[in-house]
């Protein structure tokens, strides 16, 4: 007994010691605010309960100060609750020092106050002691209930969701003092509709403030599509407070019903080799339409080993569409049996007695389809759909190109009918009974119908079935090239700028392919003397250059050429070369464009020109009929008196003509002839008149009328000149007071008729009549006795070569003559 008493005494002593220690710890904690800070002392902490019921003002504490023994003092408060923060909460009786609370305080708004007070001399208002402080701590009451955030929750999930948590999370909070029973709460499910499956709450992350709904069992969409759950949160304060939240659960239908065929068996028929849709198969499904739970998926499980059929789902009607995708040739009509199964896109889920069924797989619903394939007349089949034949071009007609090989399981091949349906150039013919293809003309590889060296033919073979069937074959003929095309010039006309270059490019081509085409060999044709004027360089290659060996007069030149291809096939052609003075590029100076449009001004000028031409012809006619002779008009020159131009081709009387030996052309070998007759009298069998006034000899070259003068060089022996368009008259230009006039005069020495007869006799070597005066031929540029100007007498054009600088300094008289000619040309708007 004594031992027990001692034990109890010791236990009580320990309890008292612990209690004292706890009290001392709380006091130390409370009095820890009594620290000095800027001459302020916190005397104590006063506890005040929140939301005091009143009445107010209520006495809180009383302040004392020992300075009252020596002074008549008063008290003054400031800081929180008085002059700072929430105002008018505390007040003090300045005489007695009693502190009052004027209204109730909400701890959740003001959990703590720090109040300062001063001791003042009542008379002078001077502080008689240091500023002191005290704290007011508001004690919590359970005046806040737990609050859900949000209060209402709505979520959705599929019917076949697995047991466990649901996508519904609830969260709440309490504004009372933290870590006290007033702010600690629990959640629970108060009610649910429907009651199956059972719902509960599961703590998330170890905190009771966040909970998640959970369930056991399974949902049945056919029984309930919406669940309403009421959840409560209740704190542990005194008295306890609570609140509720509502959770709505929407159930999404899952595949809980297997699809079923609307018929027990189906029938369909199709023609052989026909590819099309043959059947639509309907199904019945109790799940929600147009969802993975009800969308049907069809499979052909038997009868489609060759892959002739396929079945797909129509997304609008959910029917199975059976089609033939690969044709098959049947000897007779047959019936094919297909077995088709149907499932849903989503796997089947079953909930039996509130529990999900697992581990069992229900066999899909199936149905059989009988497909009747009707035998049809099959088309003839060629051994190859595309046949290739090789031939050289230009083979003689009658060449057999191809004889087809055809099979027809439904008809006799001997009764087939062949037809040629594509033969663009009409080169072949086909035997309608055998299909033999034979050429009827020579095939040309360079024909526009030949593409990349191939010429395609298309033939048909038609049987005698009902209805007739046709097979098609393409025959591609590859044509080999032969050297059947000679080279040719790409362009046989060119311009040589005589003032810039001495050569032109000669471009050639050949329609044949290698080795029957380029490189080419180039040669000059015509007579040997042509090689003294031209040469080709290089003589082999894809093209060459035609080079002039001498300085050529401006005019048109015809150069015969020979071109050989790589195999020696030769072609003769002619190159037309225009030698001229070029202003820019390869365009002759003063050359008009080939094509132009005439505006109203141009048409007016043409009409004016025609009228002027008619007036000139009428004037000439009157002049001829009148027999008048226009005299030379003297020139009124400012420099050295009056001068008159004489005719350049006047000759004095000659002696009686004496025949001399002539050559085969009818001209003396070393004579120089002057003629004023028209140029047609000089054309013989060996010469012909060319275009643009060109006189061409048999050698292929000649010269051209230029600036009113016709010139010809023949082996350096004969020189012939005649005025342009005025064979028996001279053209004289006279300048009088700035006006250009033109006069013509007939030579009285000999008429045109007598002159023509005279020239003809000399050309053909006929004896001259004895009454003709004897004369000696003169050079064509002889115009009488020499001039008094020594500089003009010493001019020798034949010895000057290409240096014409002397023309710039010919004396004052020649300058006057040049000025007269220049004025006349400007007046007539003449272009050189």
């Amino acid at each position: 007994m004594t031992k027990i008493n001692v034990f109890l005494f010791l236990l009580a002593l320990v309890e008292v010691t612990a209690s004292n220690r706890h009290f001392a710890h709380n006091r130390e904690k409370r009095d820890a605010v009594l620290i000095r800070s800027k001459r302020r002392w916190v005397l104590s902490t006063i506890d005040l309960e929140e939301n005091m019921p009143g009445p107010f003002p209520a006495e809180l504490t009383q302040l004392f100060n020992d300075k009252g023994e020596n002074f008549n003092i008063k008290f003054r408060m400031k800081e929180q609750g008085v002059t700072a923060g929430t105002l008018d909460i505390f007040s003090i009786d300045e005489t007695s020092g009693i502190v009052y609370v004027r209204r109730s305080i909400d701890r959740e708004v003001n959990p703590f106050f720090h109040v300062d007070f001063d001791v003042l001399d009542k008379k002078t208002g001077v502080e008689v002691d240091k500023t002191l402080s005290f704290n007011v701590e508001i004690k919590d009451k359970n005046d806040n209930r737990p609050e859900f955030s949000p209060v209402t929750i709505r979520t959705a999930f599929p019917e076949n969701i697995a047991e466990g948590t649901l996508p519904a999370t609830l969260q709440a909070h309490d504004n009372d003092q933290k870590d006290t029973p007033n702010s600690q709460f629990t959640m629970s499910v108060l009610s649910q509709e429907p009651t199956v499956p059972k719902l509960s709450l599961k703590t998330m992350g170890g905190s009771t403030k966040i909970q998640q709904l959970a369930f056991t069992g399974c949902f049945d969409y056919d029984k309930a599509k919406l669940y309403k759950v009421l959840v409560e949160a209740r704190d542990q304060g005194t008295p306890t407070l609570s609140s509720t939240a509502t959770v709505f659960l929407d159930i999404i239908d899952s595949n809980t019903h297997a699809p079923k065929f609307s018929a027990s068996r189906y029938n369909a028929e199709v023609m052989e080799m026909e590819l099309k849709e043959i059947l639509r198969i309907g199904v019945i499904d109790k799940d929600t339409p147009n969802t993975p739970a009800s969308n049907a998926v069809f499979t052909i499980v038997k009868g489609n080993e060759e892959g002739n059929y396929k079945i797909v789902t129509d997304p609008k009607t959910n029917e199975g569409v059976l089609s033939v995708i690969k044709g098959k040739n049947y000897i007779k009509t047959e019936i094919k049996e297909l077995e088709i199964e149907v499932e849903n896109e989503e796997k089947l889920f079953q909930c039996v007695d509130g529990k999900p069924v697992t581990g069992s797989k229900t066999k899909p619903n199936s149905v059989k389809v009988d497909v009747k394939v009707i035998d049809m007349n099959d088309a003839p089949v060629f051994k190859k759909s595309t046949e290739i034949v090789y031939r050289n071009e230009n083979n003689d007609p009658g060449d057999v190109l191809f004889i087809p090989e055809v099979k027809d399981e439904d008809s006799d091949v001997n009764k087939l009918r062949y037809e040629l349906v594509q033969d663009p150039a009409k080169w072949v013919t086909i035997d309608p009974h055998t299909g033999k293809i034979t050429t009827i003309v020579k095939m040309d590889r360079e024909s526009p119908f030949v593409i990349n060296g191939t010429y395609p033919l298309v033939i048909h073979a038609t049987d005698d079935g009902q209805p007739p069937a046709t097979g098609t074959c393409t025959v591609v003929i590859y044509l080999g090239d032969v050297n059947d095309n000679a080279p040719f010039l790409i362009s046989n006309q060119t311009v040589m700028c005589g003032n810039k270059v001495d050569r032109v490019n000669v471009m050639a081509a050949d329609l044949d392919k290698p080795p029957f085409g380029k490189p080419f060999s180039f040669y000059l044709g015509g007579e040997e003397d042509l090689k003294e004027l031209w040469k080709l360089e290089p003589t082999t290659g894809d093209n060459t250059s035609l080079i002039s060996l001498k300085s050529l007069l401006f005019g048109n030149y015809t150069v015969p050429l020979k071109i050989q291809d790589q195999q020696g096939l030769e072609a003769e052609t002619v190159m037309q070369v225009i030698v001229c003075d070029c202003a820019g590029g390869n365009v002759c100076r003063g050359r008009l464009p080939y094509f132009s449009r005439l505006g109203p001004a141009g048409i007016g000028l043409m009409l004016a020109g025609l009228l002027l031409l008619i007036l000139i012809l009428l004037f000439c006619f009157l002049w001829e009929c009148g027999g008048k002779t226009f005299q030379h008009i003297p020139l009124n020159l400012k420099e050295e008196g009056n001068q008159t131009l004489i005719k350049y081709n006047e000759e004095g009387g000659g002696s009686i003509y004496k025949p001399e030996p002539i050559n085969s052309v009818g001209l003396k070998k070393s004579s120089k002839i002057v003629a004023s007759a028209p140029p047609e009298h000089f054309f013989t069998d060996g010469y012909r008149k060319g275009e643009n006034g060109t006189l061409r000899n048999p050698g292929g070259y000649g010269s051209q009328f230029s600036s009113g003068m016709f010139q010809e060089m023949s082996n350096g022996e004969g020189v012939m000149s005649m005025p342009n368009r005025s064979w028996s008259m001279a053209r004289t230009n006279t300048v009088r007071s700035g006006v250009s006039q033109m006069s013509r005069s007939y030579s009285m020495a000999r008429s045109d008729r007598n002159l023509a007869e005279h020239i003809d006799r000399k050309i053909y070597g006929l004896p001259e009549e004895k009454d003709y005066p004897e004369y000696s031929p003169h050079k064509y540029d002889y115009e009488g006795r020499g001039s008094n100007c020594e500089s003009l007498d010493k001019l020798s054009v034949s010895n000057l070569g290409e240096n014409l600088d002397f023309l710039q300094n010919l004396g004052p008289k020649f300058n006057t003559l040049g000025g007269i000619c220049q004025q006349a040309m400007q007046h007539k708007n003449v272009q050189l």
Side-chain angles (χ1 to χ4, degrees):
M1 185 71 180
T2 303
K3 292 182 179 179
I4 295 174
N5 290 333
V6 172
F7 177 75
L8 292 175
F9 176 76
L10 293 175
L11 182 64
L13 182 61
V14 171
E15 182 67 22
V16 170
T17 303
S19 177
N20 290 335
R21 287 180 180 176
H22 180 71
F23 178 79
H25 175 73
N26 289 339
R27 185 173 184 86
E28 289 177 0
K29 181 178 179 183
R30 237 172 137 184
D31 295 340
V33 297
L34 298 176
I35 59 175
R36 185 175 182 180
S37 175
K38 295 184 178 180
R39 300 178 60 188
R40 292 184 180 184
W41 292 87
V42 177
L43 301 180
S44 63
T45 298
I46 302 172
D47 293 334
L48 181 64
E49 191 179 61
E50 71 169 329
N51 297 326
M52 292 175 58
F56 298 102
E59 183 177 342
L60 177 64
T61 186
Q62 185 175 7
L63 303 177
F64 297 96
N65 191 275
D66 56 2
K67 297 293 183 180
E69 298 177 358
N70 302 320
F71 298 94
N72 187 11
I73 62 173
K74 64 177 181 179
F75 296 92
R76 181 181 64 186
M77 283 198 315
K78 57 184 177 180
E79 294 298 331
Q80 295 180 350
V82 181
T83 61
T86 304
L87 305 178
D88 199 26
I89 293 180
F90 302 107
S91 63
I92 188 171
D93 186 335
E94 63 179 13
T95 300
S96 63
I98 299 175
V99 179
Y100 297 95
V101 179
R102 301 181 62 81
R103 55 188 174 89
S104 63
I105 301 173
D106 187 359
R107 192 201 68 86
E108 284 72 38
V109 178
N110 297 292
F112 185 84
F113 293 92
H114 181 83
V115 182
D116 293 340
F117 67 93
D118 296 318
V119 180
L120 309 175
D121 188 334
K122 201 169 190 179
K123 294 181 179 180
T124 61
V126 178
E127 294 182 4
V128 297
D129 200 357
K130 300 175 182 178
T131 298
L132 301 178
S133 302
F134 66 91
N135 294 331
V136 180
E137 184 176 352
I138 309 302
K139 293 298 183 179
D140 184 39
K141 290 178 64 176
N142 189 22
D143 58 344
N144 291 280
R145 67 184 66 225
E147 297 291 341
F148 283 97
S149 178
V151 177
T152 302
I153 300 174
R154 194 176 195 102
T155 185
F157 51 87
E159 175 186 7
N160 59 356
I161 189 172
E163 282 185 319
T165 58
L166 296 174
T169 302
L170 297 104
Q171 186 172 357
H173 67 281
D174 195 317
N175 289 330
D176 289 325
Q177 187 173 357
K178 187 178 180 181
D179 298 328
T180 64
N182 294 338
S183 62
Q184 295 173 351
F185 59 87
T186 59
M187 295 185 191
S188 62
V189 176
L190 287 182
S191 64
Q192 69 174 67
E193 297 177 6
T195 58
V196 178
K198 186 65 177 177
L199 301 177
S200 61
L201 291 173
K202 182 178 180 180
T203 301
M204 296 290 295
S207 174
T208 59
K209 295 183 179 181
I210 302 176
Q211 304 280 324
Q212 190 170 8
L213 280 177
F215 78 103
T216 57
C218 56
F219 292 92
D220 190 343
Y221 178 80
D222 297 330
K223 293 181 180 179
K225 300 176 177 60
L226 176 66
Y227 283 76
K228 181 180 179 181
V229 183
L230 188 64
V231 181
E232 180 189 56
R234 180 175 293 275
D235 64 21
Q236 299 176 7
T238 303
T240 62
L241 300 176
S242 65
S243 64
T244 59
T246 304
V247 181
F248 295 96
L249 303 178
D250 292 312
I251 311 302
I252 301 174
D253 188 21
S254 297
N255 182 22
T256 56
H257 300 280
K260 296 181 180 180
F261 289 100
S262 56
S264 59
R265 199 176 188 94
Y266 293 90
N267 297 288
E269 67 177 32
V270 64
M271 299 294 182
E272 67 168 346
M273 304 303 294
E274 188 176 19
L275 309 179
K276 68 173 187 177
E277 173 189 326
I278 59 174
L279 182 65
R280 283 182 170 259
I281 303 174
V283 293
I284 299 173
D285 198 318
K286 295 182 180 179
D287 293 315
T288 303
N290 299 321
T291 65
S294 64
N295 292 340
V297 179
F298 298 88
T299 307
I300 303 174
V301 295
K302 290 183 181 179
N304 193 32
E305 288 76 11
E306 298 179 358
N308 296 330
Y309 306 92
K310 79 169 182 179
I311 187 169
V312 296
T313 304
D314 187 333
K316 295 182 178 179
T317 63
N318 208 32
E319 295 176 316
V321 181
L322 181 64
S323 303
V324 181
I325 60 173
K326 186 171 73 174
K328 183 180 178 182
N329 189 9
Y330 291 86
I331 300 176
K332 60 180 181 178
T333 300
E334 296 183 7
I335 296 179
K336 298 291 293 185
E337 184 181 80
L338 305 178
E339 184 176 350
I340 299 176
E341 290 183 351
V342 63
E343 294 179 291
N344 293 124
E345 293 179 0
E346 187 179 283
K347 291 183 179 181
L348 186 64
F349 171 78
Q350 292 180 326
C351 183
V352 179
D353 297 332
K355 297 291 183 180
V357 178
T358 59
S360 63
K361 184 177 180 181
T362 304
K363 184 178 180 180
N365 193 13
S366 63
V367 71
K368 292 185 178 180
V369 179
D370 295 325
V371 180
K372 183 178 181 181
V373 183
I374 302 174
D375 182 33
M376 294 291 293
N377 179 31
D378 297 322
V381 179
F382 287 87
K383 184 178 181 180
K384 294 181 180 179
S385 60
T386 301
E387 296 283 353
I388 298 177
V389 178
Y390 295 91
R391 288 292 188 278
N392 284 334
E393 65 173 336
N394 295 333
N395 284 351
D396 293 333
D399 183 15
V400 177
L401 299 178
F402 175 68
I403 299 178
E405 297 183 21
V406 183
K407 294 182 180 180
D408 194 336
E409 297 181 357
D410 297 332
S411 303
D412 186 357
V413 295
N414 296 322
K415 296 182 180 180
L416 297 178
R417 183 178 70 259
Y418 296 91
E419 181 183 4
L420 185 65
V421 295
Q422 181 176 328
D423 179 19
K426 309 301 180 185
W427 285 347
V428 300
T429 184
I430 189 170
D431 189 325
H433 303 292
T434 64
K436 180 173 65 174
I437 299 177
T438 308
T439 61
I440 56 177
V441 295
K442 291 183 178 182
M443 293 185 292
D444 184 8
R445 188 180 183 278
E446 288 71 40
S447 170
F449 298 103
V450 177
I451 302 174
N452 295 328
T454 62
Y455 181 72
L457 301 173
V458 178
I459 59 174
H460 282 175
T462 305
D463 61 18
D464 59 348
Q466 294 297 327
T470 301
T472 303
C473 177
T474 301
V475 181
V476 180
I477 303 174
Y478 280 81
L479 291 175
D481 193 19
V482 297
N483 195 18
D484 59 339
N485 290 280
F488 61 91
L489 293 178
I490 296 178
S491 176
N492 62 351
Q493 292 185 354
T494 185
V495 174
M496 178 187 292
C497 296
N499 59 328
K500 296 181 180 181
V501 297
D502 63 347
R503 64 191 63 201
V504 291
N505 291 330
V506 179
M507 309 293 293
D510 197 322
L511 296 178
D512 293 323
K513 301 299 180 183
F516 305 114
K518 56 187 179 182
F520 306 112
S521 298
F522 300 91
Y523 305 95
L524 285 173
E527 299 180 358
E528 290 296 326
D529 54 359
L530 190 64
K531 298 180 179 179
E532 297 179 2
L533 296 178
W534 306 96
K535 75 171 182 178
L536 294 169
E537 187 177 290
T539 57
T540 59
D542 297 349
N543 52 70
T544 185
S545 294
L546 180 62
I547 304 173
S548 63
L549 299 177
K550 297 181 180 180
S551 179
L552 302 176
L553 297 176
F554 293 166
N556 296 341
Y557 293 85
T558 301
V559 182
L561 300 177
K562 294 180 181 180
I563 308 175
Q564 290 183 354
D565 61 18
Q566 192 173 356
Q567 302 299 325
L569 183 60
E570 183 178 271
E572 294 185 2
T573 184
V574 174
M575 189 73 176
Q576 302 290 342
V577 182
I578 301 174
V579 181
C580 64
D581 181 19
C582 298
N586 292 335
V587 179
C588 294
R589 193 186 303 274
R591 186 183 182 93
L592 295 177
Y594 290 104
F595 301 98
S596 60
R597 292 185 177 179
L598 291 178
I603 296 175
L605 290 175
M606 289 181 62
L607 295 176
L610 291 175
L611 293 176
L612 181 61
L613 179 60
I614 294 173
L615 291 176
I616 292 174
L617 294 177
L618 181 59
F619 176 74
C620 293
F621 176 75
L622 295 176
W623 182 17
E624 182 72 19
C625 293
K628 296 181 180 180
T629 302
F630 290 87
Q631 302 296 328
H632 294 292
I633 302 174
L635 296 176
N636 186 15
L637 302 178
K638 296 181 180 180
E639 294 185 2
E640 297 186 11
N642 296 333
Q643 297 185 11
T644 302
L645 298 178
I646 65 174
K647 292 177 63 177
Y648 78 96
N649 59 348
E650 286 186 350
E651 297 183 0
S655 61
I656 299 176
Y657 173 73
K658 295 181 180 181
E660 295 184 13
I662 58 176
N663 55 19
S664 60
V665 182
L667 298 176
K668 293 189 298 179
K669 294 183 178 181
S670 62
S671 64
K672 298 181 180 179
I673 304 174
V674 179
S676 59
E680 285 79 358
H681 294 278
F682 292 93
F683 298 155
T684 63
D685 295 337
Y687 289 77
R688 60 188 178 87
K689 184 177 181 181
E691 298 178 358
N692 301 325
T694 303
L695 185 64
R696 299 180 180 175
N697 62 14
Y701 66 95
S703 60
Q704 181 184 8
F705 293 106
S706 175
S707 300
M709 185 68 66
F710 172 86
Q711 299 180 351
E712 179 178 1
M713 301 295 297
S714 176
N715 296 328
E717 296 180 359
V719 179
M720 186 179 299
S721 67
M722 59 200 73
N724 182 22
R725 297 188 180 93
S726 57
W727 311 108
S728 61
M729 65 186 73
R731 178 178 295 174
T732 304
N733 293 336
T734 303
V735 179
R736 193 180 298 271
S737 300
V739 179
S740 175
Q741 299 180 354
M742 180 178 69
S743 64
R744 298 185 179 181
S745 61
Y746 282 99
S747 174
M748 303 306 294
R750 181 178 298 146
S751 66
D752 289 347
R753 178 177 179 182
N754 294 335
L755 180 60
E757 292 178 357
H758 170 70
I759 293 175
D760 288 340
R761 289 180 177 273
K762 296 198 66 175
I763 291 177
Y764 293 103
L766 299 178
E768 191 67 51
E769 295 182 3
K770 294 183 179 180
D771 57 349
Y772 281 113
E774 184 178 357
Y775 70 97
S776 296
H778 297 281
K779 291 179 62 176
Y780 77 96
D781 56 351
Y782 177 75
E783 297 184 357
R785 63 184 183 85
S787 172
N788 294 330
C789 180
E790 295 182 359
S791 60
L792 294 179
D793 291 338
K794 293 181 178 180
L795 287 177
S796 178
V797 179
S798 61
N799 296 328
L800 293 176
E802 297 181 353
N803 186 8
L804 302 179
D805 295 338
F806 69 95
L807 295 176
Q808 304 300 326
N809 188 16
L810 297 178
K813 294 184 178 181
F814 194 89
N815 292 338
T816 302
L817 178 60
I820 295 172
C821 296
Q822 185 67 27
Q823 292 178 7
M825 293 171 64
Q826 293 178 355
H827 181 73
K828 296 179 180 180
N829 194 18
V830 176
Q831 295 182 355
L832 295 181

